[in-house]
Amino acid sequence: MGYNAVLNLIFIFLIYSFVGWILEVLTVAIKEGKFVNRGITNGPLCPIYGITSIIIILITRDFENIFGIFIASVIYGTFIEFLTGKILEKINRVKWWNYSKKKFNFEGYVCLEYSLLWGLLGVILVKLINPLFIGIFNNINIFIRSVICFSLFGIAIIDFLTSFISIKLINTKSLENASNKLGNFILTSVKKRIENAYPNVKHKKNDKSENEKFAEGLNFYKLFLIFLIGAFIGDICEIVFCRFTMHRWMSRSSLVFGQLSIVWGAGLALATLCLHRYRNKKNFTIFIIGCVMGGAFEYVCSVFTEVLFGTIFWDYSHIPFNINGRINLLFCFFWGFAAVLFIKRIYPLISNIIENIPKKLGAIITNILFIIFVIDLIITGCVMLRYNARKQGYEANNIIEKLCDQYADDEYMKSRWSNMKNVIEE
């Protein structure tokens, strides 16, 4: 991915987070007749709009007709809103917004009315607004663009981290025990703003017991361990599947080190986050949700890896009922069956095993595994970017690029990721 593409993505995130904030403020102002600073951050940004806009713009590169753009916007806008609501509720233990009174809602997080609105906004964004904004942005001097984008993006990250930490502390005794005046002022200010913007969010006493189990309920530790388990099992299943269908052994790992499929791992972690409450629902319901959610997730993974690294890790063009070679009906069925099997049978077993790990030992092991995973992810990113640069004829200019050429040459890349295709070669 080129430098100009990075600037464009940062610009898209910032401009549409700001536009989303304006829409939220105007909506509240019309309904309640007063100004309310909506959004998670203190600044004039609603990150959910920026993130959704990036995904919709990238996903719809493959779609020419308006109907396809509309459907993609409905699916991804709804999914991101649902996921954001779940995560915020998990952090704060209350729903930040509740659509339970609206028709055709799902658990109060999303509803048909706003899903259709996401579709309409997506069409307007892709066909009208974004070409205009990007055209104006790219006509600005690249130095000025860089300074503005990275400065605002840095401020936005600091603002987001400050708000996130404050939101996390609202439900703990840290608010009452805060001794640092500046920290206490920031925390109290964020708390007041959040409760004013989202009345459902109120401070609650921390009811956690000192004797609670490791990773009890659903938290980062459990989700990350489920991610690792799902990534490993998914990778092994794909290796065996390829052995019997393609009659050869081949690596299906997403990373340089270890046998981990990030798509499967992240898919099961998301399934846990979104579906663990519904494990008592009928199998068919979970199957349909798994098909749609898994297919949508795999599609966005395909687009992002192509955009970020200039490579295509899988191509289903030869399989019937595929969409742009990124997903196909058969594998969507696999996601559906995997969702039913995982939520009904595997998750309760894994959850019980994880919670029986000694608390301190579990935290230490999980933190170490997370650090190793992040290092592996960074190395893989460097290797992928260097592989793409080599294909374009760029020489190694620093020690990192030279190490990539030495230990991850083209022969290694083909053996490690035999199905990977370079976009430049297409």
Side-chain angles (χ1 to χ4, degrees):
M1 181 170 61
Y3 179 74
N4 195 60
V6 173
L7 285 180
N8 283 345
L9 288 179
I10 294 175
F11 170 74
I12 288 171
F13 171 79
L14 292 173
I15 191 65
Y16 295 119
S17 293
F18 176 65
V19 171
W21 179 83
I22 292 176
L23 292 176
E24 290 281 343
V25 169
L26 288 177
T27 301
V28 175
I30 293 172
K31 289 182 178 180
E32 302 181 12
K34 64 178 181 178
F35 170 82
V36 176
N37 183 9
R38 297 278 287 183
I40 299 175
T41 62
N42 293 304
L45 296 176
C46 279
I48 185 174
Y49 286 89
I51 295 172
T52 306
S53 296
I54 289 176
I55 292 178
I56 289 175
I57 289 168
L58 292 180
I59 289 296
T60 53
R61 298 188 314 160
D62 298 328
F63 296 93
E64 296 293 337
N65 61 79
I66 292 179
F67 182 72
I69 296 172
F70 177 82
I71 295 299
S73 301
V74 168
I75 292 174
Y76 286 99
T78 302
F79 179 70
I80 293 173
E81 185 175 21
F82 177 80
L83 187 61
T84 302
K86 292 281 289 186
I87 292 173
L88 289 175
E89 182 182 2
K90 189 60 190 174
I91 294 172
N92 201 249
R93 299 187 181 181
V94 292
K95 288 184 177 179
W96 286 49
W97 59 84
N98 194 340
Y99 302 146
S100 298
K101 294 182 180 180
K102 293 184 178 293
K103 294 182 178 180
F104 308 109
N105 74 85
F106 184 70
E107 297 297 326
Y109 295 108
V110 295
C111 65
L112 180 61
E113 176 184 339
Y114 289 127
S115 294
L116 295 177
L117 181 60
W118 277 117
L120 179 61
L121 290 175
V123 173
I124 296 174
L125 170 72
V126 173
K127 288 296 185 180
L128 298 176
I129 300 178
N130 195 60
L132 176 63
F133 280 176
I134 290 296
I136 295 173
F137 179 69
N138 286 329
N139 282 323
I140 301 174
N141 179 272
I142 190 168
F143 176 75
I144 297 176
R145 276 187 285 155
S146 301
V147 172
I148 293 174
C149 279
F150 285 112
S151 298
L152 293 177
F153 190 60
I155 294 172
I157 290 177
I158 295 173
D159 188 7
F160 177 80
L161 290 176
T162 302
S163 301
F164 178 82
I165 293 172
S166 299
I167 292 168
K168 181 66 176 176
L169 294 177
I170 285 175
N171 272 341
T172 71
K173 295 181 180 179
S174 298
L175 180 61
E176 291 83 357
N177 297 336
S179 58
N180 183 279
K181 291 183 179 180
L182 176 60
N184 193 29
F185 172 76
I186 293 174
L187 182 57
T188 305
S189 299
V190 174
K191 175 180 178 291
K192 289 180 179 179
R193 186 190 65 77
I194 291 295
E195 292 183 351
N196 186 42
Y198 300 93
N200 290 338
V201 180
K202 298 294 182 183
H203 172 62
K204 293 183 178 180
K205 294 293 183 180
N206 185 20
D207 56 358
K208 288 187 177 181
S209 170
E210 293 295 330
N211 297 320
E212 69 176 355
K213 296 180 179 179
F214 168 68
E216 189 172 5
L218 193 61
N219 52 31
F220 168 77
Y221 285 143
K222 181 174 287 184
L223 284 175
F224 180 68
L225 291 176
I226 287 175
F227 164 81
L228 289 182
I229 295 170
F232 176 74
I233 294 176
D235 183 74
I236 298 302
C237 289
E238 286 202 20
I239 290 175
V240 174
F241 178 78
C242 291
R243 176 63 182 86
F244 285 97
T245 57
M246 303 180 184
H247 307 292
R248 62 189 178 102
W249 296 106
M250 57 189 295
S251 172
R252 300 293 293 174
S253 177
S254 305
L255 303 174
V256 171
F257 303 109
Q259 292 301 134
L260 297 175
S261 172
I262 291 180
V263 174
W264 277 100
L268 289 184
L270 284 174
T272 301
L273 181 63
C274 298
L275 298 177
H276 79 285
R277 283 188 178 180
Y278 317 114
R279 54 185 179 273
N280 294 323
K281 297 284 186 180
K282 293 182 179 179
N283 290 346
F284 182 75
T285 301
I286 297 176
F287 172 79
I288 294 298
I289 295 175
C291 287
V292 175
M293 188 174 69
F297 172 71
E298 188 173 15
Y299 196 103
V300 77
C301 286
S302 174
V303 172
F304 267 84
T305 52
E306 181 179 334
V307 172
L308 289 175
F309 304 118
T311 54
I312 300 173
F313 284 87
W314 59 84
D315 184 1
Y316 303 143
S317 300
H318 61 287
I319 299 178
F321 307 108
N322 72 85
I323 300 179
N324 298 315
R326 301 189 187 279
I327 60 173
N328 65 81
L329 186 60
L330 176 62
F331 284 11
C332 284
F333 285 165
F334 285 169
W335 281 110
F337 287 123
V340 174
L341 179 63
F342 178 75
I343 293 298
K344 290 285 189 178
R345 302 296 182 186
I346 300 177
Y347 171 74
L349 177 63
I350 294 178
S351 178
N352 184 59
I353 293 174
I354 291 174
E355 290 182 3
N356 281 306
I357 299 174
K359 191 173 181 180
K360 291 184 178 179
L361 178 62
I364 293 172
I365 292 175
T366 307
N367 287 329
I368 292 174
L369 289 174
F370 179 73
I371 293 172
I372 294 173
F373 171 75
V374 171
I375 293 173
D376 196 359
L377 193 64
I378 293 173
I379 293 175
T380 301
C382 292
V383 166
M384 290 294 178
L385 292 173
R386 179 56 196 152
Y387 173 71
N388 188 42
R390 277 202 307 268
K391 290 298 180 180
Q392 298 181 59
Y394 294 108
E395 296 292 332
N397 294 320
N398 55 59
I399 185 63
I400 295 177
E401 292 180 345
K402 291 178 181 178
L403 287 173
C404 289
D405 287 350
Q406 180 179 353
Y407 294 102
D409 56 13
D410 291 352
E411 183 177 350
Y412 171 82
M413 298 296 286
K414 290 179 181 178
S415 63
R416 185 64 175 173
W417 296 287
S418 56
N419 273 0
M420 182 175 65
K421 297 180 182 179
N422 191 275
V423 176
I424 306 299
E425 297 173 343
E426 291 298 298

